Every structure is written in C-alpha cells, then in structure tokens.
Amino acid sequence: MSDRKRILTGIRPTGALHLGHYAGALENWVRLQHDYESYFLIADYQVSDYADDIARVRDSVWQVALDWLAVGLDPEGSSFFIESLVPEHAELTTLLGWFLPVSMLERNPTLKAEMAAMENPEDGSQERKPVPVAFYTYPVMQVANILMPRAHLVPVGEDQLPHIELTRETARRFNHRFKPVFPEPEALVGRVARLVGTDGNAKMSKSRGNTIELREDAESVARKVKGMYAGPPRGATEPGKVEENPIFLYLDAFDPDTDEVAALKETYERAGLPNKVLKDRLTEVLNTKLDSFRERRARYEANMGLVKEAIEAGTNRMRTISRETMEMVRDALDMNYLGRY
Ligand code: ATP
Ligand code: MG
C-alpha cells in the first residue's frame, strides 16, 4: 500500500454519464487520480428506485465503466470497483446506522428533495413512486462507502455535500466513542458545482432526461443543443440578459476561449445576438471536447474483456482494504467477543 492519501467517490449505475457528471465530478477525478490512491465506486446497491428495471442497472455498470475510461481514468493506477462484490459495505452500513440519528436524515436537504421528486414528480413525465426504505437510508450507505477505505477526499457535485457532512459526523462520533479508525474526509466540488439541464432545470440529471451524454455522437449533440432552453423569447437583434440564458452557463463551463465568451456576452447585452450563433458555437465546443472521449471509448468498446479485467482488479484491491477496515471496526466495537470463551 502506498502512503498517498485516499480518494473515494462513485456513481450509481442508473444510466450513461453526462456533461454534469463531467464538470461536477469526473474532471477532478481525472486530475487527482494519481496524486491520491483512488477508489471509484459503481454503487449497485444504491439503486432501489430502479428495482423494477434491473436490466438497465446491469447495462449501466458497463456504460459507467466505459465513460470513466473514455474521460481518462486509469484503471491500473486507480481502482474501479463494484459495491455488491464487496459486501462489507452492507455490513458497515448496518453498524454505522447505530451512530446516525434519524433526525439527520430527516433534515438532509438532498435526500428531502429526491424523496419529494419521487412522491410528487413535478412535471408529470415520471411515474409517482413510493420511497423504498433503502432509498431513505442510502446516505448511510454512502457514509460506509467513504469510510470503508478510510478516505481523506471525496470529489463530488454540490448535491452530495450534505452526505459528506454526515460522513464527517459519523467518523467523529465513532472515533470519539470507540477507537480512532476513520479520517474525517473533506469534500471537493467540481469547477461547475451543479450543471443545469438542457431544459433549463437546475440540475442535469439522468432521472430527468435533460442530459447530453458523454457517449453521444456529434449529430445528436447538435440536435440537443439546438433544442436547448435559451431564456425567455427574444428577437435576434434585441439585447438580452446573460444570466437569463443558460447557453452562457454551458459556454462558461466548456469553452476554453474565455476572452471570446466575454466578447459574446458583451455583444449579447448591448446589441443582441441570435441564439443560433451561441448554439452553433456551443455545439462545436462540445463536440471538440467529446471527440477525444469518443475515440477512447470506441477502443474499449471493441475490447470489453479489458473493461471486465479492470473492474475485477479494482474490486480485488477494494476487498483487501475492506477486510482490513472491518477488522478494525469489529475490534473497536468488541465484536470478536465469542472468541473470549
Ligand atoms: P440520478 O438522477 O440517478 O441520481 P445523477 O445524475 O444525480 O443520477 P449520481 O450517480 O447520483 O448521478 O451522481 C454522481 C456524481 O455526479 C455525484 O458526485 C453528483 O454530485 C455528480 N453530478 C450529477 N449530476 C450533476 C450535475 N448536473 N452537475 C454537477 N454534478 C453532478
Ligand atoms: Mg443523484
């Protein structure tokens, strides 16, 4: 084992990854993967809201792994692993549940918003669903995920911050009452804390279907950008407000030529600009970015055996570290008591 500090972060296998994942999280993972000993989790226990579509979850495991490889995560220098193949995560979830008051889940703003969206989908496009028990407690499992490799850093999107706070609190309580097993991990939010959806909604999200996927082809990206929400109706030569047009949020997020974006904003506010000009530019910027991903993805898609090997190797590394942590936890909680007699 190296003496580098550790990263733990992950994604649910509920669909292919999109630009929000990239700007909010993946970009940091790629940047930091070698500075830290990095563990990337495919959270296939935490899919209770997709329990009636297991086929999608199974397929998404491969999509997520391919997307990770496509953006440049290195499966040898870091570890990709599948949660359910390291069932210690379920065991640790059970034990950590001792230390988390229900009130902390009740107050958790991300969990509250997600449960409300399930019980009352705002636009009627999705089916209303009862909240499964496992959904209510998924933040506890996320705490276990982070504490399992005794991680120091958790690079995530902004919506995950309440869960990291829960993790810090749990680590503090456990260490204080028993033995100092867990570091208190820090969160690290990406360059774009929360990317808006193509429909103008506050969050691009797999569940809302307002995404541009990392695997999407050039024509499909062009079509989606063309259909994007670009603020209130406005004549092409009518000055507009930059903050009302989310196309600028995307240009800010992905256009490397910041001077040009500043010039476009200035013209937009002073004299107006047709949305087509902005959208054409965005299409080009995105397709340039996605081209390198597409190429790498295609190489792995043609050799899925490599993807499987990468997951197996990473999962084995996580198994080793999980056994080590569980021994420390069992010792701290005096769970080897039968051996005393
Ligand atoms: P679901 O809607 O099924 O929950 P999701 O798109 O929210 O899916 P997750 O697997 O829950 O994806 O999140 C994976 C990671 O990506 C988290 O760190 C999350 O904060 C980040 N993330 C997801 N969507 C965005 C977004 N629109 N902007 C920034 N970060 C995001
Ligand atoms: Mg989510």
Side-chain angles (χ1 to χ4, degrees):
M1 281 293 135
S2 72
D3 52 8
R4 283 173 300 170
K5 290 194 166 179
R6 292 184 185 150
I7 279 181
L8 179 292
T9 186
I11 288 191
R12 307 193 314 143
T14 53
L17 304 187
H18 53 66
L19 291 172
H21 293 118
Y22 184 71
L26 293 175
E27 209 178 39
N28 271 339
W29 305 9
V30 173
R31 183 168 62 85
L32 297 169
Q33 61 178 331
H34 295 126
D35 297 341
Y36 288 75
E37 190 181 302
S38 300
Y39 296 89
F40 301 118
L41 155 79
I42 299 179
D44 69 337
Y45 273 149
Q46 297 168 58
V47 292
S48 57
D49 47 335
Y50 287 83
D52 56 0
D53 199 356
I54 291 294
R56 177 187 170 123
V57 172
R58 297 295 171 254
D59 174 62
S60 300
V61 168
W62 299 108
Q63 299 310 324
V64 167
L66 282 166
D67 284 330
W68 286 356
L69 293 162
V71 299
L73 287 183
D74 161 20
E76 286 171 22
S78 62
S79 300
F80 296 6
F81 73 97
I82 293 184
E83 186 175 40
S84 65
L85 295 182
V86 192
E88 281 86 351
H89 286 95
E91 186 183 2
L92 188 57
T93 303
T94 299
L95 296 174
L96 295 181
W98 294 2
F99 307 104
L100 281 176
V102 168
S103 60
M104 283 188 76
L105 290 179
E106 283 169 350
R107 280 198 310 267
N108 184 305
T110 296
L111 183 62
K112 260 166 57 177
E114 287 169 340
M115 290 198 309
M118 280 164 85
E119 288 177 321
N120 254 322
E122 55 192 88
D123 54 9
S125 66
Q126 279 169 292
E127 222 182 306
R128 175 191 291 253
K129 291 187 206 159
V131 177
V133 169
F135 194 90
Y136 187 65
T137 56
Y138 92 78
V140 187
M141 189 162 260
Q142 219 182 94
V143 170
N145 295 146
I146 297 167
L147 295 185
M148 186 65 88
R150 288 161 274 137
H152 304 87
L153 190 72
V154 194
V156 283
E158 186 186 44
D159 60 318
Q160 300 300 303
L161 291 179
H163 306 339
I164 315 294
E165 201 37 57
L166 221 53
T167 310
R168 294 169 61 84
E169 183 65 31
T170 310
R172 273 197 292 269
R173 287 177 191 218
F174 186 99
N175 292 344
H176 177 73
R177 285 195 215 165
F178 300 97
K179 286 186 180 172
V181 173
F182 302 116
E184 258 182 62
E186 304 279 344
L188 179 73
V189 173
R191 207 163 39 81
V192 180
R194 191 181 299 241
L195 186 70
V196 299
T198 50
D199 57 356
N201 182 276
K203 186 180 168 224
M204 178 176 282
S205 146
K206 288 175 266 183
S207 327
R208 280 192 71 94
N210 60 1
T211 65
I212 293 177
E213 295 178 355
L214 301 177
R215 65 175 177 180
E216 230 151 300
D217 64 38
E219 291 86 75
S220 167
V221 169
R223 205 173 336 107
K224 284 199 176 168
V225 171
K226 200 166 167 214
M228 264 171 79
Y229 175 75
R234 184 181 55 85
T237 54
E238 198 183 316
K241 290 198 182 112
V242 165
E243 67 274 15
E244 286 179 356
N245 187 342
I247 305 293
F248 284 108
L249 292 176
Y250 279 77
L251 289 173
D252 282 337
F254 299 107
D255 193 331
D257 189 345
T258 49
D259 289 345
E260 183 57 27
V261 174
L264 285 170
K265 286 180 179 171
E266 195 275 325
T267 311
Y268 187 80
E269 300 228 300
R270 185 174 37 80
L273 262 179
N275 283 329
K276 182 169 182 327
V277 172
L278 300 174
K279 288 183 168 180
D280 286 351
R281 181 173 183 94
L282 179 60
T283 300
E284 199 187 311
V285 163
L286 291 181
N287 277 330
T288 304
K289 180 101 212 153
L290 296 183
D291 264 343
S292 62
F293 300 170
R294 290 177 185 127
E295 205 181 298
R296 244 181 314 211
R297 197 180 210 278
R299 258 189 283 140
Y300 280 104
E301 265 175 334
N303 198 346
M304 290 300 287
L306 284 180
V307 183
K308 183 179 167 199
E309 279 168 28
I311 295 176
E312 279 174 343
T315 301
N316 281 334
R317 288 192 285 269
M318 179 45 83
R319 281 201 184 113
T320 304
I321 205 170
S322 298
R323 280 193 213 112
E324 206 176 273
T325 300
M326 289 315 296
E327 263 176 44
M328 294 161 88
V329 168
R330 292 178 141 264
D331 170 61
L333 298 180
D334 186 28
M335 296 191 78
N336 299 314
Y337 53 89
L338 204 57
R340 278 206 293 274
Y341 297 94

